[in-house]
């Protein structure tokens, strides 16, 4: 059943961690119906106990917001925003099957390539929206996130029927704007080019976003990694402007100074990273297209090594005869 007014759209954030909590908080503060769903029960409990703490631009807010496990809120959401890491998409989507059956739309704003394709087995194309965002979130502690810079996102629908209803899901509240766009696919690849470069570099070095270009050679390295992604998109008829990627890298380094890239947050937490839907996916697609992406291949291999389980070789004396 179509929603009659955008402000009535009831939203659930599926996988409310760093970014999902920031977006959910913006909606809650604007008085929109929103629930945070997460398997991180310590985070949900802290939010229920004390409200969600959001640090932004030197200000701290406590936001009262519904938080709990998947499906815990009473209301059936109209829109479910998927914000788990990409490797968790399938399990998360399986858990919302009853809501999809009742007509909820699903929007992925995850980083990486192939997100819509990954979740299509779990959601009819007519109910699937795909997009990207420059909003950022840092998980400081359970119940506590921080964010820097402007919160914007664009999306498109995955079918003509979905496109016809897309305007219903646009959002414009302080701290978060979500716009329907005819160029969402290009925007997804633009963001992926940025993330292949910045997230892997941060994950490898531990640098915050504002530090990433602080030494000679790094800004050029980010551009070169991103240029490989732009070439893979172009070979598939998706026109990404390198200048736009450069502008977004500059925006992030200037405005997300304190932010730890989502991949660095995973590396530090000892969790799996999204490298396979970023540099790994770009490298696999390039191989299929007869292109070479040596920098993405190297970043992918290095992140795999950095996050690989211990082999025992790191123990002193392990290699002694
Ligand atoms: N953080 C950022 O600044 C940005 C992130 N993004 C993208 O947004 C997405 C989310 O990133 P981010 O918020 O950093 O990630 P987080 O890891 O902080 O948050 C994801 C949350 O999803 C939870 N989760 C995982 N699987 C399930 C499931 N099956 N059911 C319910 N909850 C689940 C995780 O729980 P658990 O803690 O147990 O793993 C975690 O709390 C990623 O694709 C990222 O690339 C995009 C732009 C910026
Ligand atoms: C662009 C960036 C690095 C935020 O600046 C991001 O998208 C992330 O943390 O995943």
């Amino acid at each position: 059943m179509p929603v009659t007014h955008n402000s009535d759209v009831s939203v659930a954030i599926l996988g409310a961690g760093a970014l999902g909590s920031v977006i959910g908080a913006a909606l809650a503060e604007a008085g929109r119906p929103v629930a945070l769903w997460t398997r991180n029960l310590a985070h949900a409990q802290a939010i229920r106990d004390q409200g969600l703490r959001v640090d932004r631009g030197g200000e701290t807010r406590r936001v009262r917001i519904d938080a709990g496990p998947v499906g815990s809120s009473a209301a059936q959401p109209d829109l479910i925003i998927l914000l788990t890491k990409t490797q968790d998409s399938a399990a998360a989507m399986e858990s919302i099957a009853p809501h999809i059956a009742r007509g909820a739309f699903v929007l992925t704003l995850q980083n990486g390539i192939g997100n819509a394709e990954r979740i299509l087995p779990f959601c009819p194309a007519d109910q699937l929206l795909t997009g990207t965002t420059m909003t950022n979130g840092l998980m400081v502690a359970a119940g506590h996130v921080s964010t820097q810079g402007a919160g914007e996102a664009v999306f498109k629908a995955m079918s003509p029927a979905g496109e016809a209803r897309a305007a219903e899901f646009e959002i414009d509240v302080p701290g978060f704007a979500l716009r329907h766009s005819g160029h969402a696919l290009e925007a997804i690849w633009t963001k992926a080019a940025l993330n292949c470069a910045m997230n892997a570099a941060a994950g490898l070095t531990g640098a915050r976003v504002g530090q990433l270009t602080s030494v000679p050679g790094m800004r050029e390295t980010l551009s070169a990694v991103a240029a490989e992604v732009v070439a893979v998109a172009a070979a598939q008829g998706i026109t990404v402007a390198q200048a736009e990627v450069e502008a977004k890298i500059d925006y992030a380094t200037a405005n997300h100074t304190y932010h730890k890239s989502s991949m660095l947050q995973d590396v530090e937490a000892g969790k799996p990273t999204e490298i396979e839907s970023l540099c790994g996916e770009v490298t696999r697609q390039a191989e299929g297209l007869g292109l070479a992406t040596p920098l993405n291949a190297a970043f992918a291999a290095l992140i795999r090594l950095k996050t690989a389980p211990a082999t025992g070789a790191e123990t002193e004396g392990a290699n002694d005869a």
Side-chain angles (χ1 to χ4, degrees), residues 105 125-126 128-129 155-168 180-182 184:
F105 272 59
D126 285 353
L128 183 53
L129 313 173
F155 74 98
K156 74 181 195 72
M158 292 299 287
S159 78
E163 280 288 299
R165 290 193 52 190
E168 290 172 34
H180 177 233
S181 164

Side-chain angles (χ1 to χ4, degrees), residues 40-128:
N40 182 341
L41 300 182
H43 184 51
Q45 186 64 52
I47 295 169
R48 285 199 299 275
D49 289 347
Q50 295 150 17
L52 172 64
R53 176 175 166 182
V54 184
D55 298 342
R56 175 185 202 126
E59 274 183 28
T60 290
R61 298 163 127 76
R62 288 268 170 198
V63 184
R64 282 284 156 201
I65 182 166
D66 185 357
V70 173
S72 53
S73 43
Q76 156 75 8
D78 303 303
L79 177 66
I80 299 175
I81 304 183
L82 176 63
L83 280 170
T84 63
K85 292 284 168 36
T86 54
Q87 60 274 14
D88 295 321
S89 294
M93 289 299 296
E94 265 176 9
S95 73
I96 56 163
H99 300 282
I100 294 174
R102 279 184 236 127
F105 272 59
V106 175
L107 164 67
T108 165
L109 290 178
Q110 297 158 303
N111 284 330
I113 301 300
N115 288 317
E117 293 72 12
R118 212 167 280 123
I119 63 182
L120 257 174
F122 306 95
C123 181
D126 285 353
Q127 288 165 245
L128 183 53

Side-chain angles (χ1 to χ4, degrees), residues 111 136 191 194-195 198-199 209 252 256 259-262:
N111 284 330
N136 64 73
K191 181 75 193 296
L194 171 157
N195 289 127
M198 299 183 79
N199 290 22
V209 171
H256 300 172
H259 178 64
K260 290 183 182 177
S261 83
S262 49

Side-chain angles (χ1 to χ4, degrees), residues 226-242:
E228 290 183 354
V229 182
V230 170
V232 172
Q236 300 176 85
I238 303 161
T239 307
V240 172
Q242 179 77 24

Side-chain angles (χ1 to χ4, degrees), residues 182-209:
H183 299 289
L185 188 57
E186 291 79 1
I188 289 168
W189 275 87
T190 301
K191 181 75 193 296
L194 171 157
N195 289 127
C196 286
M198 299 183 79
N199 290 22
L204 288 168
T205 62
R208 291 188 190 250
V209 171

